[in-house]
């Protein structure tokens, strides 16, 4: 993944696209592998990618097949697993989250941030 981003970012910059216009997406789809392990690994390492490349990170775990494989849940019931993965991404530095349920992640982040504020004594 890192070598792929090294290559693509170099090509884009050579073509005159400034880094301030770039966003990387580590991808969490089926192309990473048949089981849940490769997408889980990608989800846990994007913070390091962000630091290494110095560009924002977009992540999209919503409704992905790795979540269905991991939980044994069908598409109609995958909302909680999607929300958990999205919340994990948000709390670990994702700049952008593409989701199927904007209200759910907005509310989850509102509750989390409120709890953190109370904990910090704000």
């Amino acid at each position: 993944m890192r070598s792929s981003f090294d290559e693509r970012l170099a090509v884009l910059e050579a073509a005159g696209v400034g880094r301030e216009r770039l966003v990387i997406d580590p991808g969490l789809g089926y192309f990473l592998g048949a089981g849940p392990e490769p997408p889980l690994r990608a989800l846990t390492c994007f913070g390091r990618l962000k630091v290494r490349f110095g560009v924002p990170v977009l992540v999209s775990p919503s409704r992905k097949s790795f979540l269905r494989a991991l939980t044994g849940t069908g598409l109609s019931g995958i909302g909680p697993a999607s929300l958990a993965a999205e919340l994990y991404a948000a709390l670990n530095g994702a700049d952008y989250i593409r989701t199927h349920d904007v209200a759910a992640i907005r509310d989850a982040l509102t509750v989390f941030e409120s709890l953190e504020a109370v904990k910090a004594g704000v």
Side-chain angles (χ1 to χ4, degrees):
M1 186 182 319
R2 287 185 293 267
S3 63
S4 175
F5 284 134
D6 277 331
E7 179 184 314
R8 295 309 308 153
L9 291 173
V11 167
L12 289 166
E13 288 179 310
V17 179
R19 253 194 208 264
E20 72 281 356
R21 296 183 59 206
L22 299 174
V23 174
I24 58 174
D25 179 354
L28 301 174
Y30 188 74
F31 66 90
L32 288 176
E37 181 64 27
L40 287 172
R41 190 167 305 158
L43 190 56
T44 63
C45 79
F46 72 82
R48 290 187 303 271
L49 292 173
K50 180 177 173 176
V51 169
R52 177 176 176 170
F53 295 110
V55 296
V57 174
L58 173 130
V59 66
S60 179
S62 183
R63 298 184 183 175
K64 292 291 194 276
S65 62
F66 80 93
L67 295 172
R68 296 192 306 272
L70 187 66
T71 63
T73 304
L75 187 58
S76 64
I78 203 63
S82 290
L83 181 58
E86 292 164 357
L87 190 56
Y88 179 87
L91 298 177
N92 285 280
D95 297 287
Y96 304 101
I97 297 173
R98 189 188 67 74
T99 185
H100 290 89
D101 192 346
V102 174
I105 189 62
R106 181 199 62 223
D107 290 352
L109 288 169
T110 297
V111 170
F112 182 84
E113 289 167 359
S114 296
L115 289 166
E116 287 294 296
V118 168
K119 181 174 134 182
V122 173

